[in-house]
Amino acid sequence: MVEALAFDTSRMTLPYVKQTRAKYGQHGSAVGAVAALRSWALVAAIVATGLLAAQPTPARAEVADSRPYDEKLMRLAEILGAMHYLRELCSANEGLLWREKMKELLDADGGSALRRARLTRSFNQGYRSYRRTYVSCTATAQGSITRFLAEGVQISDTLVKNAP
């Protein structure tokens, strides 16, 4: 399960992400997976630098706690959870990389405890659903990894393009 985290955005600039993608591709290998995650980290950096800076007033806390892009952010959290399970299952030897990326996303979001709980629930749902489905690394599991990497990059690119 997801707990406390730290986030370093010093290298997560858009030129760095584009350069990494050009060099390693968007998905496929472990290095490509990390490059794809750097794109997601860019989203977290944007969130941290102002996309979510507005603090809700107590009267509007519930309404202000939701964002227009929440559905995409929840899906991204679910993908991170699935990737955390599937990459380890398929012997990617990445350790807690995907869990750490989720922690970075939570820290960058800076939302309320309820918001953090919703994102964490999405991460855990992705992890658990694939833990129930796959007990060994199969071609289908590897195909899921590839699809998740592509979808995660697509979601993060959409969020970056629509950022104010």
Side-chain angles (χ1 to χ4, degrees), residues 16-47:
Y16 177 77
V17 170
K18 287 181 178 177
Q19 175 187 6
T20 304
R21 273 194 190 160
K23 187 173 181 182
Y24 298 112
Q26 289 189 2
H27 50 77
S29 68
V31 174
V34 172
L37 232 324
R38 286 201 169 105
S39 177
W40 296 350
L42 177 62
V43 172
I46 289 170
V47 169

PDB file of all heavy atoms in Angstrom, residues 16-47:
ATOM      1  N   TYR A  16      14.118  17.412 -21.165  1.00  0.00           N
ATOM      2  CA  TYR A  16      14.720  16.163 -20.711  1.00  0.00           C
ATOM      3  C   TYR A  16      13.824  14.978 -21.053  1.00  0.00           C
ATOM      4  O   TYR A  16      14.291  13.945 -21.530  1.00  0.00           O
ATOM      5  CB  TYR A  16      14.979  16.215 -19.203  1.00  0.00           C
ATOM      6  CG  TYR A  16      15.541  14.926 -18.659  1.00  0.00           C
ATOM      7  CD1 TYR A  16      16.882  14.615 -18.849  1.00  0.00           C
ATOM      8  CD2 TYR A  16      14.740  14.018 -17.999  1.00  0.00           C
ATOM      9  CE1 TYR A  16      17.405  13.431 -18.385  1.00  0.00           C
ATOM     10  CE2 TYR A  16      15.259  12.834 -17.518  1.00  0.00           C
ATOM     11  CZ  TYR A  16      16.591  12.546 -17.716  1.00  0.00           C
ATOM     12  OH  TYR A  16      17.096  11.365 -17.252  1.00  0.00           O
ATOM     13  N   VAL A  17      12.521  15.131 -20.836  1.00  0.00           N
ATOM     14  CA  VAL A  17      11.585  14.046 -21.140  1.00  0.00           C
ATOM     15  C   VAL A  17      11.593  13.752 -22.637  1.00  0.00           C
ATOM     16  O   VAL A  17      11.653  12.602 -23.058  1.00  0.00           O
ATOM     17  CB  VAL A  17      10.164  14.413 -20.656  1.00  0.00           C
ATOM     18  CG1 VAL A  17       9.144  13.418 -21.172  1.00  0.00           C
ATOM     19  CG2 VAL A  17      10.132  14.479 -19.138  1.00  0.00           C
ATOM     20  N   LYS A  18      11.564  14.804 -23.461  1.00  0.00           N
ATOM     21  CA  LYS A  18      11.576  14.592 -24.910  1.00  0.00           C
ATOM     22  C   LYS A  18      12.867  13.926 -25.364  1.00  0.00           C
ATOM     23  O   LYS A  18      12.860  13.038 -26.208  1.00  0.00           O
ATOM     24  CB  LYS A  18      11.388  15.926 -25.629  1.00  0.00           C
ATOM     25  CG  LYS A  18       9.967  16.446 -25.534  1.00  0.00           C
ATOM     26  CD  LYS A  18       9.823  17.746 -26.283  1.00  0.00           C
ATOM     27  CE  LYS A  18       8.391  18.228 -26.233  1.00  0.00           C
ATOM     28  NZ  LYS A  18       8.227  19.518 -26.893  1.00  0.00           N
ATOM     29  N   GLN A  19      13.990  14.353 -24.793  1.00  0.00           N
ATOM     30  CA  GLN A  19      15.275  13.760 -25.145  1.00  0.00           C
ATOM     31  C   GLN A  19      15.315  12.287 -24.742  1.00  0.00           C
ATOM     32  O   GLN A  19      15.771  11.431 -25.505  1.00  0.00           O
ATOM     33  CB  GLN A  19      16.393  14.528 -24.444  1.00  0.00           C
ATOM     34  CG  GLN A  19      17.769  13.916 -24.650  1.00  0.00           C
ATOM     35  CD  GLN A  19      18.821  14.615 -23.785  1.00  0.00           C
ATOM     36  OE1 GLN A  19      18.508  15.469 -22.976  1.00  0.00           O
ATOM     37  NE2 GLN A  19      20.051  14.228 -23.968  1.00  0.00           N
ATOM     38  N   THR A  20      14.817  11.969 -23.556  1.00  0.00           N
ATOM     39  CA  THR A  20      14.807  10.594 -23.075  1.00  0.00           C
ATOM     40  C   THR A  20      13.912   9.729 -23.952  1.00  0.00           C
ATOM     41  O   THR A  20      14.271   8.614 -24.306  1.00  0.00           O
ATOM     42  CB  THR A  20      14.336  10.548 -21.613  1.00  0.00           C
ATOM     43  OG1 THR A  20      15.177  11.400 -20.838  1.00  0.00           O
ATOM     44  CG2 THR A  20      14.401   9.139 -21.061  1.00  0.00           C
ATOM     45  N   ARG A  21      12.733  10.262 -24.311  1.00  0.00           N
ATOM     46  CA  ARG A  21      11.836   9.511 -25.189  1.00  0.00           C
ATOM     47  C   ARG A  21      12.493   9.235 -26.533  1.00  0.00           C
ATOM     48  O   ARG A  21      12.386   8.151 -27.075  1.00  0.00           O
ATOM     49  CB  ARG A  21      10.565  10.297 -25.429  1.00  0.00           C
ATOM     50  CG  ARG A  21       9.533  10.069 -24.410  1.00  0.00           C
ATOM     51  CD  ARG A  21       8.262  10.605 -24.958  1.00  0.00           C
ATOM     52  NE  ARG A  21       7.257  10.620 -23.926  1.00  0.00           N
ATOM     53  CZ  ARG A  21       6.187  11.361 -23.993  1.00  0.00           C
ATOM     54  NH1 ARG A  21       5.982  12.136 -25.018  1.00  0.00           N
ATOM     55  NH2 ARG A  21       5.299  11.316 -23.043  1.00  0.00           N
ATOM     56  N   ALA A  22      13.167  10.245 -27.094  1.00  0.00           N
ATOM     57  CA  ALA A  22      13.817  10.083 -28.384  1.00  0.00           C
ATOM     58  C   ALA A  22      14.913   9.026 -28.315  1.00  0.00           C
ATOM     59  O   ALA A  22      15.117   8.252 -29.244  1.00  0.00           O
ATOM     60  CB  ALA A  22      14.397  11.406 -28.852  1.00  0.00           C
ATOM     61  N   LYS A  23      15.600   8.980 -27.189  1.00  0.00           N
ATOM     62  CA  LYS A  23      16.713   8.052 -27.044  1.00  0.00           C
ATOM     63  C   LYS A  23      16.253   6.628 -26.756  1.00  0.00           C
ATOM     64  O   LYS A  23      16.786   5.670 -27.302  1.00  0.00           O
ATOM     65  CB  LYS A  23      17.617   8.551 -25.913  1.00  0.00           C
ATOM     66  CG  LYS A  23      18.902   7.775 -25.766  1.00  0.00           C
ATOM     67  CD  LYS A  23      19.804   8.449 -24.753  1.00  0.00           C
ATOM     68  CE  LYS A  23      21.118   7.707 -24.604  1.00  0.00           C
ATOM     69  NZ  LYS A  23      21.972   8.328 -23.602  1.00  0.00           N
ATOM     70  N   TYR A  24      15.237   6.469 -25.876  1.00  0.00           N
ATOM     71  CA  TYR A  24      14.853   5.135 -25.423  1.00  0.00           C
ATOM     72  C   TYR A  24      13.481   4.669 -25.896  1.00  0.00           C
ATOM     73  O   TYR A  24      13.109   3.538 -25.676  1.00  0.00           O
ATOM     74  CB  TYR A  24      14.865   5.074 -23.891  1.00  0.00           C
ATOM     75  CG  TYR A  24      16.220   5.341 -23.314  1.00  0.00           C
ATOM     76  CD1 TYR A  24      16.467   6.490 -22.585  1.00  0.00           C
ATOM     77  CD2 TYR A  24      17.260   4.448 -23.516  1.00  0.00           C
ATOM     78  CE1 TYR A  24      17.715   6.747 -22.056  1.00  0.00           C
ATOM     79  CE2 TYR A  24      18.516   4.700 -22.997  1.00  0.00           C
ATOM     80  CZ  TYR A  24      18.740   5.845 -22.270  1.00  0.00           C
ATOM     81  OH  TYR A  24      19.971   6.089 -21.750  1.00  0.00           O
ATOM     82  N   GLY A  25      12.707   5.519 -26.493  1.00  0.00           N
ATOM     83  CA  GLY A  25      11.370   5.134 -26.911  1.00  0.00           C
ATOM     84  C   GLY A  25      10.383   5.353 -25.785  1.00  0.00           C
ATOM     85  O   GLY A  25      10.756   5.642 -24.658  1.00  0.00           O
ATOM     86  N   GLN A  26       9.093   5.226 -26.106  1.00  0.00           N
ATOM     87  CA  GLN A  26       8.062   5.511 -25.113  1.00  0.00           C
ATOM     88  C   GLN A  26       7.776   4.327 -24.211  1.00  0.00           C
ATOM     89  O   GLN A  26       7.312   4.492 -23.100  1.00  0.00           O
ATOM     90  CB  GLN A  26       6.783   5.950 -25.803  1.00  0.00           C
ATOM     91  CG  GLN A  26       6.921   7.322 -26.405  1.00  0.00           C
ATOM     92  CD  GLN A  26       5.604   7.850 -26.907  1.00  0.00           C
ATOM     93  OE1 GLN A  26       4.581   7.203 -26.771  1.00  0.00           O
ATOM     94  NE2 GLN A  26       5.630   9.015 -27.488  1.00  0.00           N
ATOM     95  N   HIS A  27       8.006   3.117 -24.662  1.00  0.00           N
ATOM     96  CA  HIS A  27       7.722   1.959 -23.813  1.00  0.00           C
ATOM     97  C   HIS A  27       8.427   0.734 -24.366  1.00  0.00           C
ATOM     98  O   HIS A  27       9.058   0.779 -25.394  1.00  0.00           O
ATOM     99  CB  HIS A  27       6.219   1.710 -23.721  1.00  0.00           C
ATOM    100  CG  HIS A  27       5.535   1.668 -25.055  1.00  0.00           C
ATOM    101  ND1 HIS A  27       5.590   0.597 -25.893  1.00  0.00           N
ATOM    102  CD2 HIS A  27       4.809   2.602 -25.689  1.00  0.00           C
ATOM    103  CE1 HIS A  27       4.906   0.857 -26.993  1.00  0.00           C
ATOM    104  NE2 HIS A  27       4.430   2.069 -26.889  1.00  0.00           N
ATOM    105  N   GLY A  28       8.316  -0.360 -23.672  1.00  0.00           N
ATOM    106  CA  GLY A  28       8.904  -1.617 -24.128  1.00  0.00           C
ATOM    107  C   GLY A  28       9.931  -2.141 -23.149  1.00  0.00           C
ATOM    108  O   GLY A  28       9.668  -3.040 -22.380  1.00  0.00           O
ATOM    109  N   SER A  29      11.123  -1.582 -23.147  1.00  0.00           N
ATOM    110  CA  SER A  29      12.172  -2.067 -22.254  1.00  0.00           C
ATOM    111  C   SER A  29      12.033  -1.416 -20.892  1.00  0.00           C
ATOM    112  O   SER A  29      11.268  -0.472 -20.705  1.00  0.00           O
ATOM    113  CB  SER A  29      13.541  -1.708 -22.841  1.00  0.00           C
ATOM    114  OG  SER A  29      13.719  -0.305 -22.815  1.00  0.00           O
ATOM    115  N   ALA A  30      12.798  -1.897 -19.942  1.00  0.00           N
ATOM    116  CA  ALA A  30      12.788  -1.300 -18.608  1.00  0.00           C
ATOM    117  C   ALA A  30      13.242   0.146 -18.685  1.00  0.00           C
ATOM    118  O   ALA A  30      12.687   1.019 -18.036  1.00  0.00           O
ATOM    119  CB  ALA A  30      13.694  -2.092 -17.664  1.00  0.00           C
ATOM    120  N   VAL A  31      14.234   0.424 -19.512  1.00  0.00           N
ATOM    121  CA  VAL A  31      14.704   1.796 -19.675  1.00  0.00           C
ATOM    122  C   VAL A  31      13.615   2.631 -20.314  1.00  0.00           C
ATOM    123  O   VAL A  31      13.355   3.762 -19.908  1.00  0.00           O
ATOM    124  CB  VAL A  31      16.002   1.837 -20.519  1.00  0.00           C
ATOM    125  CG1 VAL A  31      16.415   3.263 -20.805  1.00  0.00           C
ATOM    126  CG2 VAL A  31      17.120   1.097 -19.799  1.00  0.00           C
ATOM    127  N   GLY A  32      12.924   2.073 -21.300  1.00  0.00           N
ATOM    128  CA  GLY A  32      11.816   2.778 -21.923  1.00  0.00           C
ATOM    129  C   GLY A  32      10.689   3.025 -20.936  1.00  0.00           C
ATOM    130  O   GLY A  32      10.034   4.062 -20.962  1.00  0.00           O
ATOM    131  N   ALA A  33      10.475   2.071 -20.042  1.00  0.00           N
ATOM    132  CA  ALA A  33       9.455   2.238 -19.005  1.00  0.00           C
ATOM    133  C   ALA A  33       9.812   3.392 -18.085  1.00  0.00           C
ATOM    134  O   ALA A  33       8.963   4.200 -17.733  1.00  0.00           O
ATOM    135  CB  ALA A  33       9.297   0.950 -18.197  1.00  0.00           C
ATOM    136  N   VAL A  34      11.063   3.475 -17.720  1.00  0.00           N
ATOM    137  CA  VAL A  34      11.506   4.578 -16.868  1.00  0.00           C
ATOM    138  C   VAL A  34      11.368   5.895 -17.617  1.00  0.00           C
ATOM    139  O   VAL A  34      10.927   6.902 -17.068  1.00  0.00           O
ATOM    140  CB  VAL A  34      12.958   4.353 -16.390  1.00  0.00           C
ATOM    141  CG1 VAL A  34      13.482   5.576 -15.669  1.00  0.00           C
ATOM    142  CG2 VAL A  34      13.022   3.130 -15.483  1.00  0.00           C
ATOM    143  N   ALA A  35      11.695   5.895 -18.900  1.00  0.00           N
ATOM    144  CA  ALA A  35      11.548   7.113 -19.700  1.00  0.00           C
ATOM    145  C   ALA A  35      10.082   7.528 -19.768  1.00  0.00           C
ATOM    146  O   ALA A  35       9.765   8.715 -19.668  1.00  0.00           O
ATOM    147  CB  ALA A  35      12.111   6.891 -21.102  1.00  0.00           C
ATOM    148  N   ALA A  36       9.205   6.567 -19.931  1.00  0.00           N
ATOM    149  CA  ALA A  36       7.779   6.884 -19.950  1.00  0.00           C
ATOM    150  C   ALA A  36       7.340   7.461 -18.615  1.00  0.00           C
ATOM    151  O   ALA A  36       6.559   8.399 -18.556  1.00  0.00           O
ATOM    152  CB  ALA A  36       6.970   5.621 -20.271  1.00  0.00           C
ATOM    153  N   LEU A  37       7.866   6.924 -17.531  1.00  0.00           N
ATOM    154  CA  LEU A  37       7.521   7.423 -16.205  1.00  0.00           C
ATOM    155  C   LEU A  37       8.007   8.836 -16.004  1.00  0.00           C
ATOM    156  O   LEU A  37       7.379   9.628 -15.320  1.00  0.00           O
ATOM    157  CB  LEU A  37       8.145   6.534 -15.124  1.00  0.00           C
ATOM    158  CG  LEU A  37       7.176   6.051 -14.090  1.00  0.00           C
ATOM    159  CD1 LEU A  37       6.120   7.040 -13.744  1.00  0.00           C
ATOM    160  CD2 LEU A  37       6.565   4.789 -14.481  1.00  0.00           C
ATOM    161  N   ARG A  38       9.123   9.172 -16.629  1.00  0.00           N
ATOM    162  CA  ARG A  38       9.622  10.544 -16.507  1.00  0.00           C
ATOM    163  C   ARG A  38       8.606  11.511 -17.109  1.00  0.00           C
ATOM    164  O   ARG A  38       8.457  12.624 -16.644  1.00  0.00           O
ATOM    165  CB  ARG A  38      10.981  10.667 -17.169  1.00  0.00           C
ATOM    166  CG  ARG A  38      12.034   9.998 -16.319  1.00  0.00           C
ATOM    167  CD  ARG A  38      13.415  10.519 -16.636  1.00  0.00           C
ATOM    168  NE  ARG A  38      14.331  10.048 -15.634  1.00  0.00           N
ATOM    169  CZ  ARG A  38      15.210   9.082 -15.817  1.00  0.00           C
ATOM    170  NH1 ARG A  38      15.311   8.505 -16.992  1.00  0.00           N
ATOM    171  NH2 ARG A  38      16.003   8.706 -14.855  1.00  0.00           N
ATOM    172  N   SER A  39       7.928  11.071 -18.147  1.00  0.00           N
ATOM    173  CA  SER A  39       6.873  11.901 -18.727  1.00  0.00           C
ATOM    174  C   SER A  39       5.752  12.077 -17.716  1.00  0.00           C
ATOM    175  O   SER A  39       5.210  13.165 -17.561  1.00  0.00           O
ATOM    176  CB  SER A  39       6.347  11.249 -20.003  1.00  0.00           C
ATOM    177  OG  SER A  39       5.284  11.995 -20.526  1.00  0.00           O
ATOM    178  N   TRP A  40       5.414  11.019 -17.005  1.00  0.00           N
ATOM    179  CA  TRP A  40       4.386  11.113 -15.974  1.00  0.00           C
ATOM    180  C   TRP A  40       4.854  12.006 -14.845  1.00  0.00           C
ATOM    181  O   TRP A  40       4.075  12.735 -14.259  1.00  0.00           O
ATOM    182  CB  TRP A  40       4.024   9.752 -15.440  1.00  0.00           C
ATOM    183  CG  TRP A  40       3.394   8.848 -16.452  1.00  0.00           C
ATOM    184  CD1 TRP A  40       2.965   9.184 -17.705  1.00  0.00           C
ATOM    185  CD2 TRP A  40       3.121   7.481 -16.325  1.00  0.00           C
ATOM    186  NE1 TRP A  40       2.443   8.105 -18.353  1.00  0.00           N
ATOM    187  CE2 TRP A  40       2.530   7.023 -17.519  1.00  0.00           C
ATOM    188  CE3 TRP A  40       3.302   6.557 -15.319  1.00  0.00           C
ATOM    189  CZ2 TRP A  40       2.123   5.736 -17.729  1.00  0.00           C
ATOM    190  CZ3 TRP A  40       2.904   5.258 -15.521  1.00  0.00           C
ATOM    191  CH2 TRP A  40       2.317   4.849 -16.716  1.00  0.00           C
ATOM    192  N   ALA A  41       6.144  11.931 -14.555  1.00  0.00           N
ATOM    193  CA  ALA A  41       6.688  12.775 -13.492  1.00  0.00           C
ATOM    194  C   ALA A  41       6.577  14.248 -13.875  1.00  0.00           C
ATOM    195  O   ALA A  41       6.429  15.107 -13.011  1.00  0.00           O
ATOM    196  CB  ALA A  41       8.133  12.403 -13.211  1.00  0.00           C
ATOM    197  N   LEU A  42       6.636  14.539 -15.161  1.00  0.00           N
ATOM    198  CA  LEU A  42       6.451  15.910 -15.613  1.00  0.00           C
ATOM    199  C   LEU A  42       5.063  16.399 -15.213  1.00  0.00           C
ATOM    200  O   LEU A  42       4.894  17.532 -14.776  1.00  0.00           O
ATOM    201  CB  LEU A  42       6.646  16.008 -17.123  1.00  0.00           C
ATOM    202  CG  LEU A  42       6.411  17.375 -17.742  1.00  0.00           C
ATOM    203  CD1 LEU A  42       7.403  18.386 -17.159  1.00  0.00           C
ATOM    204  CD2 LEU A  42       6.563  17.303 -19.242  1.00  0.00           C
ATOM    205  N   VAL A  43       4.076  15.537 -15.342  1.00  0.00           N
ATOM    206  CA  VAL A  43       2.728  15.893 -14.921  1.00  0.00           C
ATOM    207  C   VAL A  43       2.730  16.218 -13.432  1.00  0.00           C
ATOM    208  O   VAL A  43       2.160  17.223 -12.996  1.00  0.00           O
ATOM    209  CB  VAL A  43       1.730  14.751 -15.215  1.00  0.00           C
ATOM    210  CG1 VAL A  43       0.378  15.048 -14.603  1.00  0.00           C
ATOM    211  CG2 VAL A  43       1.612  14.540 -16.706  1.00  0.00           C
ATOM    212  N   ALA A  44       3.392  15.391 -12.662  1.00  0.00           N
ATOM    213  CA  ALA A  44       3.459  15.632 -11.224  1.00  0.00           C
ATOM    214  C   ALA A  44       4.151  16.956 -10.926  1.00  0.00           C
ATOM    215  O   ALA A  44       3.745  17.691 -10.030  1.00  0.00           O
ATOM    216  CB  ALA A  44       4.180  14.481 -10.535  1.00  0.00           C
ATOM    217  N   ALA A  45       5.185  17.277 -11.689  1.00  0.00           N
ATOM    218  CA  ALA A  45       5.891  18.539 -11.487  1.00  0.00           C
ATOM    219  C   ALA A  45       4.986  19.723 -11.794  1.00  0.00           C
ATOM    220  O   ALA A  45       4.985  20.725 -11.077  1.00  0.00           O
ATOM    221  CB  ALA A  45       7.143  18.589 -12.355  1.00  0.00           C
ATOM    222  N   ILE A  46       4.198  19.610 -12.851  1.00  0.00           N
ATOM    223  CA  ILE A  46       3.272  20.685 -13.199  1.00  0.00           C
ATOM    224  C   ILE A  46       2.224  20.843 -12.102  1.00  0.00           C
ATOM    225  O   ILE A  46       1.903  21.952 -11.691  1.00  0.00           O
ATOM    226  CB  ILE A  46       2.617  20.415 -14.568  1.00  0.00           C
ATOM    227  CG1 ILE A  46       3.664  20.594 -15.659  1.00  0.00           C
ATOM    228  CG2 ILE A  46       1.422  21.323 -14.800  1.00  0.00           C
ATOM    229  CD1 ILE A  46       3.216  20.131 -17.014  1.00  0.00           C
ATOM    230  N   VAL A  47       1.727  19.718 -11.618  1.00  0.00           N
ATOM    231  CA  VAL A  47       0.764  19.763 -10.527  1.00  0.00           C
ATOM    232  C   VAL A  47       1.374  20.453  -9.315  1.00  0.00           C
ATOM    233  O   VAL A  47       0.765  21.311  -8.697  1.00  0.00           O
ATOM    234  CB  VAL A  47       0.284  18.330 -10.168  1.00  0.00           C
ATOM    235  CG1 VAL A  47      -0.499  18.331  -8.883  1.00  0.00           C
ATOM    236  CG2 VAL A  47      -0.536  17.758 -11.310  1.00  0.00           C
TER     237      VAL A  47
END
